[in-house]
């Protein structure tokens, strides 16, 4: 005889069917969830080091990675850019143990944060272009319901500016077009190489994707 108490149903019961999209009780949650970041892996990334605890099997420099789920998208993603923000981020150097300090609306605010730290010289302030993206799976044609954030810093700032120009020249809502983002190798004058991003226009977003993007845009502006 099974004396275990059933605490919950594994299948959606009849009394909840038709309620999946309502989400009552979650009205104030929108601004208090972690939006994953889309990370472009480099040769020095922890995820590509087999001896590091954060190593992800099969990950290599040039792959795009979901920072929250660990999903590896490979060397290209298809994305709709929902919103854009110009911000400043504070990061502790790798030599000092690494770590994210925060995102700030101005360089002055970020520098004030760094100045208040125990060892300010361990910190860097970087101008950051933050794109809120909606990803589309090219194999299934499905579009993710949840967005990701991609930060463009350093040499990626030029890519971001060019991308913003192309989106603006295309006209219409920012989220009216679908783009392919893919990794490319960049090399400095001294011969050092790293992975950067390139963007190609795929075309106008399909209506269903556009509506999802529109809803995300409105939720961001109402939060």
């Amino acid at each position: 005889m099974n004396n275990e108490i059933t605490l919950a149903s594994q299948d959606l019961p009849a009394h909840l069917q038709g309620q999946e999209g309502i989400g009552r009780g979650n009205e104030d949650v929108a601004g208090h969830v972690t939006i994953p970041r889309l990370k472009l892996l480099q040769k020095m990334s922890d995820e590509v080091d087999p001896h590091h605890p954060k190593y992800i099997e099969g990950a290599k420099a040039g792959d795009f990675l979901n920072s929250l789920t660990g999903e590896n998208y490979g060397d290209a993603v298809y994305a709709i850019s929902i919103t854009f923000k110009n911000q400043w981020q504070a990061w502790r150097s790798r030599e000092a143990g690494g770590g994210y300090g925060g995102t700030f609306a101005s360089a002055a605010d970020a520098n004030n944060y760094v100045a208040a730290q125990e060892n300010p010289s361990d910190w860097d302030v970087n101008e950051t272009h933050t794109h809120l993206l909606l990803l589309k799976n090219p194999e299934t044609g499905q579009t993710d319901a949840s967005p990701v954030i991609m930060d463009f810093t350093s040499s990626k700032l030029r890519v971001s500016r060019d991308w913003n120009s192309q989106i603006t020249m295309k006209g219409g809502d920012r989220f009216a077009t679908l783009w392919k983002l893919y990794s490319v190798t960049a090399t400095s004058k001294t011969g050092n190489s790293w992975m950067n991003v390139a963007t190609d226009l795929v075309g106008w977003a399909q209506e269903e994707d556009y509506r999802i993007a529109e809803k995300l845009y409105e939720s961001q502006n109402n939060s």
Side-chain angles (χ1 to χ4, degrees):
M1 180 177 180
N2 187 352
N3 293 322
E4 292 185 2
I5 299 174
T6 301
L7 299 179
S9 173
Q10 298 304 306
D11 299 318
L12 187 67
H15 67 276
L16 292 180
Q17 291 180 9
Q19 306 294 314
E20 298 95 322
I22 296 177
R24 288 177 294 182
N26 290 325
E27 291 82 0
D28 293 327
V29 171
H32 302 277
V33 296
T34 299
I35 299 178
R37 278 181 151 76
L38 187 65
K39 180 178 181 180
L40 177 61
L41 297 181
Q42 304 290 337
K43 290 185 292 186
M44 297 295 292
S45 296
D46 297 335
E47 293 85 355
V48 303
D49 180 359
H51 305 291
H52 197 280
K54 291 185 179 180
Y55 172 68
I56 294 178
E57 186 174 356
K60 62 185 184 300
D63 286 347
F64 292 90
L65 189 78
N66 185 309
S67 65
L68 188 63
T69 66
E71 181 177 357
N72 187 345
Y73 300 104
D75 59 6
V77 294
Y78 289 77
I80 296 171
S81 182
I82 310 297
T83 60
F84 163 82
K85 290 183 180 180
N86 189 27
Q87 302 172 315
W88 281 260
Q89 293 182 347
W91 292 88
R92 185 186 286 112
S93 66
R94 290 177 64 94
E95 293 76 14
Y100 170 68
T103 298
F104 305 87
S106 69
D109 289 343
N111 286 319
N112 287 338
Y113 170 85
V114 168
Q117 303 308 303
E118 184 175 354
N119 296 302
S121 60
D122 291 341
W123 292 81
D124 294 312
V125 171
N126 301 315
E127 182 181 4
T128 304
H129 286 184
T130 300
H131 294 254
L132 183 69
L133 306 176
L134 186 66
L135 301 184
K136 185 178 180 71
N137 188 318
E139 296 181 357
T140 65
Q142 296 298 309
T143 301
D144 292 347
S146 300
V148 296
I149 289 173
M150 186 167 184
D151 294 324
F152 290 68
T153 62
S154 188
S155 61
K156 296 186 185 71
L157 287 172
R158 179 186 58 79
V159 177
S160 176
R161 293 187 184 101
D162 289 347
W163 190 20
N164 280 336
S165 298
Q166 293 177 67
I167 292 174
T168 302
M169 288 188 295
K170 191 64 178 174
D173 293 327
R174 180 178 185 86
F175 44 86
T177 46
L178 179 70
W179 298 78
K180 180 181 179 181
L181 278 62
Y182 56 98
S183 59
V184 293
T185 301
T187 306
S188 68
K189 294 180 179 179
T190 59
N192 294 323
S193 63
W194 68 95
M195 304 310 299
N196 208 331
V197 183
T199 62
D200 284 344
L201 175 65
V202 178
W204 296 106
Q206 295 178 326
E207 183 176 0
E208 181 180 357
D209 296 339
Y210 174 79
R211 296 304 176 195
I212 296 173
E214 182 180 43
K215 186 175 180 179
L216 283 171
Y217 169 79
E218 292 172 349
S219 70
Q220 290 295 309
N221 281 272
N222 293 331
S223 59

